[in-house]
Amino acid sequence: MEIFELKYFLAAANNENIHKGSLDVNVSPASVSKAISRLEAELGVNLFYNEGRNIKLTSQGQALKLRAHSILQLEEDTRYLISGDKEKINIHFGADEILQSFIGVEVTAKMRKLFSKAALHLSIGDDKSNLKKLTDGEIHLALISTDVPKDLKAKTINKVIFKTWAAKNHPIFNGHKKNHVFDIQEVLKHGFVVPSEALLGKITEHGSLDGWREDKFPRIHAYQVQSLKVMENYVRSGRAFAYLPDYYFADEDLVPLQITGCSFNCQQSIKLVCKNPEALGWLSKVWDLF
């Protein structure tokens, strides 16, 4: 069993396709097929079975996938331990799109400062898929907003506050050009653009997908959308408000409303999660940054 064979095996397993896997490791599909055949002959089991044009892991293949990730990471960490900065490390980091775009930028900047030669592989996915990737060893770290299983390590690195955002051309500002303070009842006369699915991770237990307390202050859902970019466009057009994290907008054309008569304030805890930060020397250094 050779290191390169495990790399080729993982490439095929992650893509569920030998041709696509070969592109990830820059070799021919025939080389990937031969590596898999050698592993199967050595282990005496089938690692894949065919499903249409793709391949799927058998139970033995699933077991090898978990162990292969650990072996390759340990091999890479050993090279780094012995050779130091001469060796490039691969950091696999997951988060959903909005966290990756904002908080993830700050997190990876700290990683880059610590390991200037590191290759950062950024994975986009929801909390559920990233937690599974952590458990399976496919990624090293993830930003998570939901509850974290006890077998994973987590630390809160950010507390996000949600605000009601509006464009300066919104009708609510007519006669209030220099004043962003509004009573909740005045705000509720206008429509909101709201997500139709959980675009922002876990926020609240009250049923609202963006954290707004509908049970206390029911809104007009003028637009329901499946994209944060579409939500942003409706806000910028002046057609609707949106209830979004405080980091989401950073320009002068959009302002957060200061609302009176409304006592609640939605907060979201963002956690950095890892399977075992002590398993790899370089990973423990990253973990200690936060």
Side-chain angles (χ1 to χ4, degrees):
M1 186 180 298
E2 302 290 341
I3 292 295
F4 80 90
E5 292 174 342
L6 294 177
K7 289 181 179 178
Y8 294 0
F9 161 76
L10 282 178
N14 291 336
N15 288 278
E16 296 185 341
N17 185 284
I18 288 178
H19 177 72
K20 292 179 180 178
S22 69
L23 297 177
D24 281 358
V25 288
N26 297 314
V27 298
S28 68
S31 296
V32 174
S33 293
K34 289 179 181 178
I36 293 171
S37 296
R38 284 193 293 268
L39 286 172
E40 290 180 328
E42 181 177 348
L43 296 171
V45 297
N46 291 323
L47 298 173
F48 294 95
Y49 64 91
N50 293 320
E51 187 174 279
R53 295 184 178 181
N54 293 326
I55 54 176
K56 298 286 186 179
L57 288 169
T58 62
S59 58
Q60 294 91 343
Q62 290 282 3
L64 179 60
K65 183 181 178 183
L66 289 173
R67 187 58 61 90
H69 277 299
S70 298
I71 292 171
L72 293 179
Q73 289 174 10
L74 184 59
E75 185 260 352
E76 184 177 81
D77 190 54
T78 301
R79 289 179 180 275
Y80 177 78
L81 177 65
I82 303 302
S83 302
D85 291 338
K86 294 179 182 179
E87 287 294 327
K88 182 182 76 172
I89 58 174
N90 290 279
I91 302 177
H92 294 267
F93 177 60
D96 67 26
E97 185 174 4
I98 187 171
L99 291 181
Q100 195 74 272
S101 300
F102 293 94
I103 298 175
V105 172
E106 300 174 4
V107 172
T108 54
K110 290 184 178 181
M111 295 181 190
R112 175 68 67 194
K113 187 174 182 180
L114 184 62
F115 300 110
S116 60
K117 295 182 180 179
L120 294 169
H121 305 271
L122 308 182
S123 173
I124 303 297
D126 59 21
D127 284 352
K128 183 178 180 180
S129 65
N130 280 319
L131 287 172
K132 185 178 187 304
K133 287 179 180 179
L134 281 169
T135 301
D136 292 347
E138 294 181 26
I139 58 178
H140 299 108
L141 298 149
L143 290 177
I144 300 294
S145 61
T146 191
D147 296 330
V148 177
K150 293 182 179 180
D151 59 337
L152 297 176
K153 302 292 184 181
K155 58 172 67 176
T156 298
I157 64 170
N158 203 310
K159 290 276 190 181
V160 175
I161 299 175
F162 280 60
K163 296 182 178 181
T164 301
W165 292 89
K168 289 183 178 179
N169 61 347
H170 192 281
I172 200 171
F173 290 114
N174 293 340
H176 298 271
K177 297 298 184 181
K178 297 182 180 180
N179 189 349
H180 300 160
V181 181
F182 300 93
D183 182 78
I184 183 62
Q185 296 305 322
E186 186 175 1
V187 172
L188 294 177
K189 293 177 183 177
H190 300 271
F192 280 71
V193 55
V194 299
S196 58
E197 56 187 59
L199 300 175
L200 300 162
K202 181 179 179 180
I203 302 169
T204 178
E205 301 293 344
H206 298 288
S208 168
L209 292 173
D210 61 2
W212 184 273
R213 287 294 299 269
E214 300 285 0
D215 56 331
K216 299 291 185 181
F217 305 99
R219 299 171 292 176
I220 299 172
H221 290 197
Y223 308 97
Q224 290 185 305
V225 302
Q226 297 178 328
S227 163
L228 288 170
K229 187 62 180 177
V230 175
M231 289 182 69
E232 178 183 336
N233 289 341
Y234 273 104
V235 176
R236 291 187 182 280
S237 71
R239 293 185 174 92
F241 300 137
Y243 196 56
L244 288 169
D246 53 6
Y247 59 75
Y248 193 74
F249 294 121
D251 60 58
E252 296 180 354
D253 294 328
L254 300 170
V255 294
L257 302 183
Q258 299 178 46
I259 302 175
T260 61
C262 176
S263 59
F264 84 91
N265 198 1
C266 177
Q267 293 189 5
Q268 183 183 50
S269 295
I270 307 302
K271 296 174 280 288
L272 184 67
V273 183
C274 180
K275 186 174 183 179
N276 181 9
E278 302 302 323
L280 303 172
W282 67 262
L283 185 56
S284 65
K285 292 182 179 180
V286 172
W287 189 251
D288 290 341
L289 285 174
F290 302 93

